[in-house]
Amino acid sequence: MLPAEEKLMTPGIRPLIAGNWKMNGSWRGSRRLADAVRDAAPGLPCDLLVCPPFLHIQPVAATLLGSRVAVGGQDCHHKPHGAHTGDIGAVMLRDAGATHVILGHSERRADHGESNELVARKCEAALAAGLIPLICVGETLAEREAGRATAVVEAQLDGSLPLGFVTSGGIVAYEPVWAIGTGRTPTEEDIAAMHHAMRQALVMAFGPTARTTRLLYGGSVKPSNAEAILALPEVDGALLGGASLVAEDFLAIARAMEAG
Ligand code: 13P
């Protein structure tokens, strides 16, 4: 683990611990989870975000109203409204109480064939609706083994982030596809190197303002490895899947931010 002084070299960024609940939970279970997070939030050293399934956004947002915990969607359509059966518009998310939206998650890129170009259009729609986009990038195992991880992630950043992303507070999550839900994580050196490369790419593209863009790590973060990962330079928080479904785990990881 790196010494605390190195962590302090990334100034001006308040860390964020975000939960992607994916397609899990019941209306009642989501409210219970939100209750537990809300009650613990005031003592935590970071900002918190939970992203329930669409149907649970409204009740979760109602539970979290006035708290320090923000609510986000897991996707939105690239058009504001219209004949798009089964889709959800960014303004609808906003209307239901969301302030953020995850876009370009690898599960959407894989399951729904989402390209960088489409992710960028969705991101523009989110920004137009006043939502803060949280864009996911990350390489597959084959790409990492071929030595192409950094090039893939840089191309995703280049293709998925529209103008205005950084000044609107957009967030980036590095989620290696092979680390999601597998219990495997890259080495601390590999995470730090990728976050450094992402920071450089963002500063090149968007200018010095990108020095304060939050860069999250996601992929098999759990209470046992959170402290070491969150202490790495340029890691400004985490995007959690499985661990965000268990209140004690989510909160333990948020507390690890303090130790990190
Ligand atoms: P896990 O934390 O379950 O590996 O999922 C990470 C993720 O995909 C968050 O978006």
Side-chain angles (χ1 to χ4, degrees):
M1 199 184 306
L2 291 152
E5 305 84 71
E6 287 200 37
K7 187 68 196 169
L8 294 175
M9 286 171 69
T10 315
I13 303 185
R14 186 166 162 80
L16 173 70
I17 302 296
N20 175 7
W21 294 358
K22 306 193 180 183
M23 197 174 72
N24 292 296
S26 61
W27 202 84
R28 187 179 295 201
S30 286
R31 279 197 68 143
R32 255 203 310 268
L33 188 50
D35 280 348
V37 173
R38 180 202 58 209
D39 292 348
L44 295 172
C46 50
D47 289 339
L48 299 172
L49 167 68
V50 294
C51 301
F54 287 134
L55 273 175
H56 302 170
I57 288 177
Q58 196 275 333
V60 165
T63 292
L64 297 176
L65 196 69
S67 79
R68 287 185 46 230
V69 188
V71 184
Q74 299 174 14
D75 178 49
C76 70
H77 197 270
H78 63 278
K79 294 258 180 73
H81 49 75
H84 303 289
T85 303
D87 278 313
I88 303 281
V91 174
M92 293 168 165
L93 290 179
R94 186 76 211 219
D95 200 31
T99 51
H100 293 65
V101 61
I102 297 172
L103 293 171
H105 191 283
S106 61
E107 286 151 14
R108 293 219 50 100
R109 290 179 189 260
D111 295 354
H112 299 271
E114 294 193 1
S115 63
N116 290 330
E117 193 212 351
L118 180 61
V119 175
R121 291 177 71 193
K122 289 180 175 215
C123 192
E124 279 168 0
L127 292 173
L131 293 173
I132 296 176
L134 194 171
I135 305 286
C136 300
V137 295
E139 81 285 358
T140 62
L141 189 57
E143 289 163 343
R144 174 155 288 272
E145 286 175 348
R148 294 180 47 230
T150 309
V152 166
V153 167
E154 285 173 351
Q156 287 172 332
L157 289 176
D158 188 46
S160 310
L161 309 186
L163 227 64
F165 175 81
V166 161
T167 45
S168 307
I171 302 163
V172 175
Y174 168 52
E175 298 205 312
V177 178
W178 53 275
I180 295 175
T182 59
R184 298 177 60 193
T185 57
T187 64
E188 290 173 24
E189 289 72 22
D190 284 344
I191 296 174
M194 186 62 84
H195 278 239
H196 180 69
M198 293 198 302
R199 179 74 68 201
Q200 283 191 313
L202 289 176
V203 170
M204 285 281 283
F206 292 95
T209 320
R211 290 194 203 287
T212 54
T213 296
R214 282 159 155 170
L215 304 182
L216 312 185
Y217 170 78
S220 294
V221 179
K222 17 184 209 265
S224 56
N225 62 16
E227 192 179 327
I229 292 172
L230 293 171
L232 295 169
E234 307 283 11
V235 174
D236 308 311
L239 177 57
L240 314 174
S244 70
L245 297 172
V246 181
E248 303 86 74
D249 288 355
F250 185 70
L251 296 169
I253 292 167
R255 282 187 206 102
M257 201 71 239
E258 194 160 39

